[in-house]
Amino acid sequence: MRPLASQLRLVPLLALALACAAHAQSFDALSGTLKKVKESGTITLGVREASFPFSYTSRTGRPIGYSIDLCERIVEGIRSAIDAPELQVRHELLRSEERLPAVKSGRVDLECGSTTNTQLRQQEVAFSPVIFVTGTKLLVRRGAGIASFHQMKGKTVVVSTGTTNEAAIRSLSAKQALNLTILVRPDLQQAFDAFQAGQADAFATDDVLQYGFVARAKAPRGLSVVGDYLSFEPYGIVYRKDDPQLAQVVNQTFGDLAKSREISWIYDKWFVRRLPDGERLGMPMNPQLTTIFEALGLPP
């Protein structure tokens, strides 16, 4: 497994490959998702309960987050493309393992969460340009004597099912002969709850999500994110494969957001400023994501 630093050199190329935003144009006949939502009058967004701050349920019960804001901008582009200003938006709560099947089956039209773009997943679904870059780390209890995966031999780690983190931990355990006991829970919140309940020595997921859990924990000072990156995770908005009209709207939307600098404002809203429920992550945009957004048209 290559270290994250070397893999990040590939990010600009990935962004360029995904970013080819086409100019807006009228469609002679609607097809795919655009036809579906035009006929139904509704577009369905797949959201998460605890992918903070990407897609989560606020204290008032409303789905909010960075990825949801980006999906809402795509919806605005769809309204314009199909001339349907009254297009309604509904939210469908998804667990980790439901994300891709829900998109493929048409249960949801856009998946707005913290989903990693991988070559394997590209065989099933399509992805927007990259919206965030992160990687798997370990969340542990302070004082547990765990500073990296090297201290995890024979210990228990909990993951959310159907995630790239689960695959990374299983691969690491086999390659490093760690003999890990791997607990699998249906979603991120349940995995974190199991860790907090003492059922696991570590919780493995993307570090940005771990910092989110720490920020909302009752005793955040007792938790620590440790070790090197164990995987490379470029996130994207998910939509159905082989849907060129929707792909054009998605790419056009991201190009417009970058050129207008609105994509930077949306990022700062969720990662730099104080959040709706009072939390604050204080995570300025890193150079890798800046490079990706500049490839989309963000002025230097």
Side-chain angles (χ1 to χ4, degrees), residues 61-295:
R62 184 168 63 95
I64 59 174
Y66 173 64
S67 298
I68 293 178
D69 274 7
L70 294 175
C71 277
E72 288 174 350
R73 299 306 191 276
I74 295 172
V75 172
E76 291 173 8
I78 291 172
R79 286 192 178 110
S80 176
I82 66 176
D83 190 22
E86 303 303 319
L87 182 67
Q88 299 297 304
V89 177
R90 64 180 295 270
H91 299 97
E92 180 83 12
L93 191 63
L94 300 175
R95 296 192 301 270
S96 295
E97 73 273 15
E98 296 178 310
R99 293 172 294 172
L100 304 193
V103 172
K104 291 172 62 178
S105 69
R107 177 181 164 193
V108 303
D109 301 303
L110 298 171
E111 192 270 325
C112 317
S114 50
T115 301
T116 301
N117 183 342
T118 69
Q119 289 187 339
L120 184 62
R121 287 175 172 174
Q122 288 172 22
Q123 297 175 19
E124 300 185 70
V125 294
F127 286 85
S128 74
V130 174
I131 65 171
F132 200 84
V133 178
T134 182
T136 306
K137 284 196 174 186
L138 299 175
L139 178 63
V140 301
R141 285 174 281 277
R142 290 188 186 274
I146 300 173
S148 77
F149 70 85
H150 296 289
Q151 285 84 46
M152 285 293 296
K153 190 166 186 177
K155 295 186 182 296
T156 300
V157 60
V158 63
V159 296
S160 178
T161 188
T163 60
T164 50
N165 314 113
E166 178 186 357
I169 290 300
R170 292 191 184 281
S171 175
L172 179 71
S173 182
K175 290 180 180 178
Q176 299 292 330
L178 295 177
N179 193 30
L180 294 174
T181 297
I182 300 174
L183 295 184
V184 179
R185 294 294 181 264
D187 214 339
L188 289 166
Q189 186 64 57
Q190 293 179 51
F192 178 70
D193 290 345
F195 165 69
Q196 284 284 73
Q199 297 173 25
D201 300 290
F203 170 35
T205 191
D206 300 336
D207 68 338
V208 65
L209 301 177
Q210 291 168 335
Y211 289 125
F213 278 110
V214 171
R216 308 181 93 194
K218 293 181 180 179
R221 293 183 181 179
L223 303 174
S224 181
V225 178
V226 301
D228 297 327
Y229 282 108
L230 306 178
S231 70
F232 169 60
E233 313 288 341
Y235 291 172
I237 304 300
V238 183
Y239 59 99
R240 275 180 287 285
K241 191 179 177 182
D242 301 322
D243 194 340
Q245 290 185 353
L246 179 57
Q248 178 170 318
V249 173
V250 169
N251 289 327
Q252 181 67 47
T253 297
F254 273 87
D256 291 344
L257 288 173
K259 292 170 188 174
S260 68
R261 295 184 184 273
E262 186 179 0
I263 201 163
S264 293
W265 182 87
I266 295 173
Y267 179 94
D268 287 349
K269 173 184 174 182
W270 293 102
F271 295 97
V272 178
R273 303 189 184 101
R274 192 167 300 281
L275 296 170
D277 291 338
E279 307 93 345
R280 191 169 195 165
L281 291 178
M283 296 178 63
M285 192 181 301
N286 62 39
Q288 292 78 29
L289 191 59
T290 299
T291 298
I292 290 170
F293 288 164
E294 286 177 349

